[in-house]
Structures are given as C-alpha cells and as structure tokens.
Amino acid sequence: NFSDCGMKEINGINITLWKPERSPGSSIKGIALGLAQFAETIQGISFGLTAVVAEQELTGINIGGLAVLANGDIRGINVGGLATVASGNLMGINFGGLAVVAEGNLFGINFGGLAVVAKGEMNGLNFGGLAVVSENNMLGLNFGGLAVVSKGELKGINFGGPAVVAEGEITGLNSALIALVSQEGITGLNIVGYKVETPKINGLNVSLGWMDVDDLKGISISCYNKIKRTQTGLVIGLFNVADELNGVQIGLLNIAKNNSGLAKVLPFINFHFD
C-alpha cells in the first residue's frame, strides 16, 4: 500500500511506500519493507529506507537507513545508519553509525561509531569510537576510543584510549594511554601510560608515570610508586614510598616508614617482612 493506516495485525509481507500513520495496537509479523516501518510491535525482518520504529517491542532483523528505534525492548540484529536506540533493554547484535543507546540494559555485540551508552547494565562486546559508557555495572570486552566509563563495577577486558574510569571496582585486563581510575579498587593486570589512581590494587600493575594507592597486594612497576598505607609485595621504580612495607622496594630511592633508623630511607633496595 501507499501508506499504512488503521492497521491492526499483519502476518506475512507488508510493503508501504510512504510514512505510516500511527495505529494503536498495530502489529507486524513477517517481512516489512518501505520508506519507514512503524507499528506498536514488529517481529521478523524489517527494512525502512529512513527508519524502523516500534512503539513497544522490536524483534528480529531490523535495518533503518537513519535509525532503528523502540519505546520498549529491542531484540535481534539491528542496524541504524545513525543510531539504534531502545527506551527499554537492547539485546543482540547492534550497530549505530553514531551511537547505540539503551535506557535499560544492553546485552550482546554493540558497535557505535561515536558511542555505546547504557543507563542500565552493559554485558558483552562493546566498541565505541569515542566512548563506552554505562550508568551501572559493565562486564565483557569494552573498547572506547577516548574512554571506557562505568558508574558501577567494571569487569572484563577494557581498553579506554586515554582513560578507563569506574566508580565501582575494576576487575580484569585494563589498559589506558593516560589514566586508570577506580573509586573502589582494581584487581588484575593493568597497563597504563601515565597514572593509576585507586584505593587498592590486587595484581600486577605497570605504568610509565606513577601509581597512587592506599593498599597494594602484588607487583607494581612504575616510575613513582606511592602507597599511603600498606604494601604487600614488590614495587620497582625510580622513587618508592610506603607507610607500612611488607615486601620489597627496588629503585633509586626507597622509603619504608615502618623501618627503623637508616633503614627508613635506602637507595637501590629496601625491604621489611612481618
């Protein structure tokens, strides 16, 4: 037909040449083709030269020249020339030329030319040309050209261009050109160009600049290792400082404040074991 109107339920093939009118309670199940596809629920294979839009749920293979949009959940394989956006959960394989956005949870394989963003949890493989951002926990393999940011926990393999940042704990393999920051703690293997800043580190840390933590359990290799409370393990750097050392410091200058006398400040190597 020229333009969908007064539509209730279609099972089969729907072809509309012009912008559809809003049809409350409408449903398309099957193959939908046209300038734009619009219904309350769409299930199957849908192609809109401009957009594929569902007022509730969108399920299947959906391709929109500009966008794939749903006010509810989206499930399946979804390609939006500019964006793929779900007001609910977004699950499957999703591509947005500029962005992939879920106001709920985001699960699956997601590629956003500029960003991948979720207001809920984010689990899976996520690539954002500029950023990958979750307002909740993030789990999986995450790459952000400028940053990977989570307001919750961040677990998995994370590459954040200049920065990887989480308000919760960071666990796994983490790499950033400039900074790795967590307000709770970091566990795993960290490779950072400049700075690691967190209350505690458990694992192996390598940074060209400096590490600033309250507690360390493991190994840190950095130009400047600053442990404000307890170091348990080994640090290697030019300048190493620990309030309480339970391990070994190797560097040009090593300060262990819990050592006695001259042993508090030593060149090349310092150690203390409880």
Side-chain angles (χ1 to χ4, degrees), residues 193-268:
Y194 174 58
K195 180 183 180 183
V196 177
E197 184 174 354
T198 185
K200 60 183 179 180
I201 286 181
N202 296 319
L204 172 60
N205 177 75
V206 179
S207 56
L208 297 179
W210 59 298
M211 176 196 66
D212 187 353
V213 299
D214 292 334
D215 299 291
L216 169 70
K217 291 183 179 179
I219 300 172
S220 178
I221 302 171
S222 183
C223 288
Y224 176 30
N225 293 291
K226 182 181 179 181
I227 296 97
K228 299 172 185 175
R229 292 193 301 222
T230 304
Q231 173 195 327
T232 304
L234 169 67
V235 298
I236 300 172
L238 299 178
F239 183 38
N240 305 305
V241 180
D243 275 11
E244 183 175 346
L245 176 61
N246 183 25
V248 178
Q249 299 170 320
I250 298 175
L252 293 180
L253 186 63
N254 306 285
I255 299 175
K257 297 181 181 179
N258 60 327
N259 277 349
S260 301
L262 295 176
K264 283 189 175 182
V265 182
L266 290 174
F268 307 124

Side-chain angles (χ1 to χ4, degrees), residues 4-274:
D4 289 340
C5 64
M7 181 177 61
K8 289 300 180 183
E9 182 174 340
I10 294 176
N11 296 306
I13 300 174
N14 182 59
I15 300 174
T16 180
L17 303 179
W18 197 241
K19 178 184 177 181
E21 295 183 8
R22 185 174 182 274
S23 300
S26 59
S27 171
I28 300 175
K29 297 179 181 179
I31 298 174
L33 307 172
L35 178 68
Q37 291 300 322
F38 183 88
E40 285 209 358
T41 62
I42 300 176
Q43 299 177 22
I45 299 174
S46 305
F47 173 83
L49 190 61
T50 57
V52 175
V53 181
E55 288 195 307
Q56 293 184 5
E57 293 188 356
L58 184 58
T59 303
I61 300 173
N62 307 291
I63 301 172
L66 296 179
V68 173
L69 307 170
N71 286 330
D73 295 342
I74 298 179
R75 299 180 179 89
I77 299 173
N78 308 286
V79 179
L82 294 180
T84 296
V85 181
S87 295
N89 300 321
L90 180 53
M91 294 164 279
I93 300 173
N94 308 292
F95 173 89
L98 295 180
V100 172
V101 180
E103 294 192 12
N105 299 321
L106 179 58
F107 302 122
I109 300 173
N110 307 290
F111 177 93
L114 293 181
V116 175
V117 181
K119 289 189 175 180
E121 293 188 357
M122 183 183 295
N123 296 335
L125 172 61
N126 306 292
F127 177 92
L130 293 181
V132 174
V133 181
S134 172
E135 295 190 10
N136 208 304
N137 299 326
M138 189 185 300
L139 173 64
L141 173 59
N142 307 293
F143 176 88
L146 290 180
V148 173
V149 180
S150 172
K151 289 191 175 181
E153 295 181 349
L154 179 56
K155 297 179 179 180
I157 301 174
N158 307 293
F159 299 93
V164 174
V165 181
E167 292 187 7
E169 291 191 2
I170 298 177
T171 304
L173 171 60
N174 310 291
S175 178
L177 294 175
I178 296 176
L180 176 62
V181 180
S182 169
Q183 295 184 7
E184 296 292 334
I186 300 172
T187 299
L189 170 60
N190 311 303
I191 302 173
V192 185
Y194 174 58
K195 180 183 180 183
V196 177
E197 184 174 354
T198 185
K200 60 183 179 180
I201 286 181
N202 296 319
L204 172 60
N205 177 75
V206 179
S207 56
L208 297 179
W210 59 298
M211 176 196 66
D212 187 353
V213 299
D214 292 334
D215 299 291
L216 169 70
K217 291 183 179 179
I219 300 172
S220 178
I221 302 171
S222 183
C223 288
Y224 176 30
N225 293 291
K226 182 181 179 181
I227 296 97
K228 299 172 185 175
R229 292 193 301 222
T230 304
Q231 173 195 327
T232 304
L234 169 67
V235 298
I236 300 172
L238 299 178
F239 183 38
N240 305 305
V241 180
D243 275 11
E244 183 175 346
L245 176 61
N246 183 25
V248 178
Q249 299 170 320
I250 298 175
L252 293 180
L253 186 63
N254 306 285
I255 299 175
K257 297 181 181 179
N258 60 327
N259 277 349
S260 301
L262 295 176
K264 283 189 175 182
V265 182
L266 290 174
F268 307 124
I269 189 167
N270 204 347
F271 57 89
H272 183 103
F273 296 99
D274 293 333

